[in-house]
Amino acid sequence: MKPEEYVEAVLALVERIPPGRVMSYGAVADALAERSGRASARLVGSIMARHGGGVPWHRVVTSAGRLPPGHEVEARARLRAEGCPLRAAGVDMSAASWWPEEGM
């Protein structure tokens, strides 16, 4: 998979995360690893920072549930409006994590 195809795959997957649910940067990378040959949470974070404005970026958080750096207030408001389970520092990952079905 070419770099630009990976960017498109990341953004397409993020668009599929249902309202009120989240994926971690690492989970996005893991979900695409087999077909992309890449498995970097940092690369997903970089893609989201550069290209994620047109997708529900607030639904991608750290594995600990921390909200996107620098956008915590807006992300929390958007997630709360969607009914996402929140904790003091971010998202309740045990209740809010989402994984795409097989054969995506």
Side-chain angles (χ1 to χ4, degrees):
M1 183 178 287
K2 296 177 183 175
E4 59 273 6
E5 292 172 326
Y6 187 66
V7 169
E8 291 301 318
V10 167
L11 298 176
L13 178 54
V14 171
E15 285 182 343
R16 293 181 48 218
I17 303 170
R21 304 295 298 274
V22 297
M23 288 183 81
S24 69
Y25 297 99
V28 172
D30 289 347
L32 297 172
E34 189 173 319
R35 66 185 175 116
S36 71
R38 296 169 174 82
S40 169
R42 287 184 183 200
L43 180 55
V44 171
S46 178
I47 289 168
M48 292 303 297
R50 290 189 181 124
H51 307 285
V55 298
W57 55 268
H58 57 285
R59 297 181 190 152
V60 184
V61 298
T62 70
S63 60
R66 286 191 310 269
L67 303 172
H71 303 283
E72 296 90 349
V73 173
E74 184 176 354
R76 180 176 290 281
R78 287 180 180 215
L79 290 168
R80 183 178 290 121
E82 294 178 355
C84 184
L86 299 172
R87 290 189 171 168
V91 174
D92 179 350
M93 292 300 285
S94 64
S97 292
W98 178 81
W99 186 261
E101 66 280 353
E102 294 296 320
M104 35 170 257

